[in-house]
Structure formats: structure tokens, C-alpha cells
Amino acid sequence: MFPSNWLTLALLLALTLDAPSDVDYARDVKPVLAARCYACHGALKAEAGLRVDTVAAMTDEAGIVVPGDSAASAILGRVSDADPETRMPPGHEGAPLTGEEIAALKAWIEAGAPAPADDKPEADPREHWAFRAPVRPEVPETPAESLHPVDAFLTAKRAERGLNAARPAEPRLLLRRLYLDLIGLPPTLAELEAFAADPSEAAYQATVDRLLADERYAQRWARHWMDVWRYSDWWGLGAEVRNS
């Protein structure tokens, strides 16, 4: 049967919503801190020496969270401050936390501010490989000292994974691959027979040099990159470079 006093029911529902009993730090608190606080108090800035990207940083290091005592926890007072100049985040940085977010933070603190076992600080963006100076690696030692450094790395990685290299391609197949890679066209029968008669390393290097100097090499790769750039010639409109 529904209760006769609807006002009492509404108050009970409001209390239930304002004080969640199953707040989870990883699900309900950390994502809010990450979205609203890490920009100033994370790995990149840590303004005023304060970080909020781990429970330990807020409790043991900064003391802005007092487990079990939300009234003594400075973080709660700052995020619920009515003054936009002293509130966190500040008024010029964006809107304040919602009532639900503040209620979740308060409930988590009152529950003892439990931290998950795998609670880790935010990764420092400056440690990303794109922001680090490249370091030339040492060339692995391989049985064949005459190997090119690239081949030495490949040989070492195959040995690490227990793989064997494929046998060298026979001369005609090797020449066909070389032609298709560099100029996009197969060799002639005469060129195939000439290389088959002398498949030495010197002959191979001479063929590479000849093809690199061939205008068809420039045409083949210019066509490739023009395709990548979406280049097109439209009759009546002239040449265009389009992004799509």
C-alpha cells in the first residue's frame, strides 16, 4: 500500500539520493577528479604542490582528505564553496561540481576514503615516447658480421622468437620484386636473363642504383603520395588538393 503522506515519501527519496551508500572510488570519485582536477593538480602541473590523482596523495601527503571525517576534509569545502573565486575548480575554469558529484565525494570520505589496491598516479604526459629524445640502440651481435644493422636487428629478433629466415629468393624473383618495389613495373625478359646470368651482390647493387636514378622511380612514388593526398585534376576547375 502506498503511504498516505507523500511529503514524507519525497523526503525519504531525497535523503536516499543525497547520501549514496554504495559509492565506489574508482567508479564514482576518481573519474570526476580526473575530469575536473587533474589539469591543475595532476602529473603535469601539481599547482601549490598538490596532487589529487591518488588516494594516498590526498590523505597521507596533502591531508586534504581525512578518512571518515568529511567536515575536516579541505577538498570537500573547496569543491562546495559558494564563492567562484575560491571554489575548486575556480569559476574561470568551468562550472562547479554537481550536487551528485559532491554527495558521492562526501559519502566516500565518510566511508573511510577506501583506496583500491591498484590505485596509481596519472601517467606523466612528458614520458610519452613522442616527447622523448630518440636514443640510438646498440646493434645486436650476430654470427654474420657483414650484415647490415637492420638485418642484425631482424636476425636477433628471429633468434629471440625461435624463427628461421626464409631462403634467399632466386635471381629472377628477386629482380622482379626489386623492379616492382622501386618503379612499379616488372623487368623485361632481357633484364631477367642478364641478372640470372650474373646474380652477384655487385650486379644487384648496380641495378638498385640504376633504378633509383630512373625517372620512373620518381613517377611511381609521386603517384603514390598524390593518391595519399587525394590529389585530383578536375576538367574545367584546374588542379586541386582535397582532404576527405
Side-chain angles (χ1 to χ4, degrees), residues 9-88:
L9 176 60
L11 289 173
L12 288 173
L13 288 173
L15 288 173
T16 302
L17 292 174
D18 286 342
S21 58
D22 59 344
V23 171
D24 180 78
Y25 171 76
R27 183 191 64 211
D28 306 310
V29 177
K30 193 176 182 74
V32 175
L33 297 176
R36 307 303 305 282
C37 307
Y38 283 12
C40 295
H41 299 290
L44 199 57
K45 273 192 178 181
E47 287 188 1
L50 172 63
R51 292 183 62 163
V52 296
D53 51 346
T54 63
V55 176
M58 294 185 286
T59 56
D60 302 336
E61 297 172 21
I64 60 172
V65 169
V66 180
D69 191 347
S70 60
S73 298
I75 188 173
L76 194 62
R78 295 302 296 273
V79 298
S80 57
D81 194 333
D83 186 345
E85 295 301 319
T86 53
R87 187 196 71 221
M88 289 295 163

Side-chain angles (χ1 to χ4, degrees), residues 178-185 211 214 216-217 220 223:
L178 179 62
Y179 267 70
L180 291 175
D181 281 346
L182 294 184
I183 66 173
L185 296 170
L211 292 179
D214 194 311
R216 293 174 296 177
Y217 170 72
R220 184 254 192 278
R223 183 173 63 250

Side-chain angles (χ1 to χ4, degrees), residues 168-188:
E170 60 92 11
R172 290 180 177 82
L173 178 58
L174 179 62
L175 190 71
R176 180 178 174 83
R177 289 174 177 173
L178 179 62
Y179 267 70
L180 291 175
D181 281 346
L182 294 184
I183 66 173
L185 296 170
T188 65

Side-chain angles (χ1 to χ4, degrees), residues 127-156:
E127 293 300 317
H128 189 274
W129 66 265
F131 302 111
R132 306 182 71 176
V135 178
R136 184 179 295 276
E138 293 289 335
V139 177
E141 294 184 3
T142 57
E145 296 182 359
S146 62
L147 285 177
H148 187 279
V150 172
D151 295 317
F153 281 102
L154 293 174
T155 299

Side-chain angles (χ1 to χ4, degrees), residues 3 29 42 44 67 70-71 101 105 164-165 226 235 241:
V29 177
L44 199 57
S70 60
E101 291 169 341
L105 178 60
N164 295 318
M226 288 169 74
W235 183 84
V241 176

Side-chain angles (χ1 to χ4, degrees), residues 157-174:
K157 184 59 67 173
R158 283 195 298 266
E160 177 185 321
R161 300 192 177 185
L163 301 175
N164 295 318
R167 292 178 297 177
E170 60 92 11
R172 290 180 177 82
L173 178 58
L174 179 62

